[in-house]
Amino acid sequence: SGILWMALGILCFLAIVPIHFAVLMTVKSNNFTVGHNLFRIVSLILGAYGTSFMYRGRKLLAPTAEEAIQNDTRPPVLYLRSFQDDSKGVPVMRAADWSFPESEEQEIAAVFRVIGPVVAIGSPWDSLPILGASRLYVDAGDWQAKVGELMGKACIVLFRAGLTPGFWWEIQRAAKTFPLERAIFLLP
């Protein structure tokens, strides 16, 4: 269904050209400004929907953590953060080029993906995965065991500093079981 959303987004952008010609053909020369304003409004709406559809498609096509680990033989890079930080740095559409800028997490994942697949535990409140690290969704009672398991496989653990009890549990776990020379702390 991600491909369908991407296709809908592309269609929205492609629809702008024929609509532009239709507006120009139907508007009389004395209402040229009205026609251009109408085209701008319709283009803005189609561009916003197109961008939103494409962004949703990208999320639906994002590989899960299991897929990323299975398709890459290198040890994973584990990204640990408070779930409340997932909303920080969420991209906002830029009107200038109708695109979404990279979020903080997408930039982090792009840098560390050259070392190994970047994986993270997904928030149970995610309706769609957040772009950046590939997500692994686990039951609320299983997350600590899964973090411990992933730490055992990880070549690097990235900690985005946070204040939640879960984040501090992860720090304590790493201090006991993970070589701290392979831990990186990211300060927001």
Side-chain angles (χ1 to χ4, degrees):
S1 71
I3 293 173
L4 177 62
W5 283 102
M6 295 288 285
L8 284 172
I10 291 169
L11 285 174
C12 284
F13 284 108
L14 292 176
I16 292 172
V17 174
I19 289 173
H20 176 68
F21 287 115
V23 167
L24 289 178
M25 296 300 214
T26 58
V27 175
K28 296 180 181 172
S29 60
N30 60 350
N31 286 333
F32 192 72
T33 304
V34 173
H36 271 281
N37 288 337
L38 178 63
F39 169 68
R40 287 182 183 127
I41 291 168
V42 170
S43 296
L44 183 64
I45 292 168
L46 283 173
Y49 274 104
T51 302
S52 178
F53 292 162
M54 290 177 73
Y55 192 65
R56 182 177 180 84
R58 285 180 59 202
K59 286 182 161 198
L60 289 167
L61 291 171
T64 64
E66 294 95 337
E67 292 168 341
I69 290 171
Q70 182 180 7
N71 295 332
D72 193 329
T73 59
R74 300 172 297 167
V77 174
L78 179 58
Y79 178 56
L80 298 173
R81 81 279 170 232
S82 300
F83 291 148
Q84 67 189 25
D85 291 334
D86 284 346
S87 63
K88 294 185 173 141
V90 171
V92 177
M93 187 176 67
R94 291 187 297 214
D97 61 1
W98 300 100
S99 66
F100 285 95
E102 300 287 310
S103 68
E104 175 184 277
E105 184 176 327
Q106 285 174 281
E107 291 174 6
I108 291 167
V111 168
F112 285 94
R113 208 168 273 127
V114 298
I115 297 169
V118 181
V119 299
I121 301 293
S123 169
W125 301 286
D126 289 347
S127 59
L128 289 174
I130 293 175
L131 294 175
S134 297
R135 295 294 200 264
L136 174 68
Y137 293 94
V138 296
D139 292 329
D142 298 334
W143 74 270
Q144 291 176 330
K146 188 49 94 171
V147 165
E149 177 187 328
L150 289 170
M151 273 187 196
K153 296 177 182 177
C155 62
I156 293 175
V157 176
L158 303 173
F159 293 95
R160 186 184 191 282
L163 299 173
T164 60
F167 175 79
W168 289 108
W169 177 89
E170 292 165 344
I171 295 288
Q172 291 171 347
R173 174 68 186 240
K176 294 176 187 173
T177 64
F178 190 76
L180 292 181
E181 64 271 11
R182 295 190 343 230
I184 298 174
F185 291 87
L186 306 169
L187 303 175

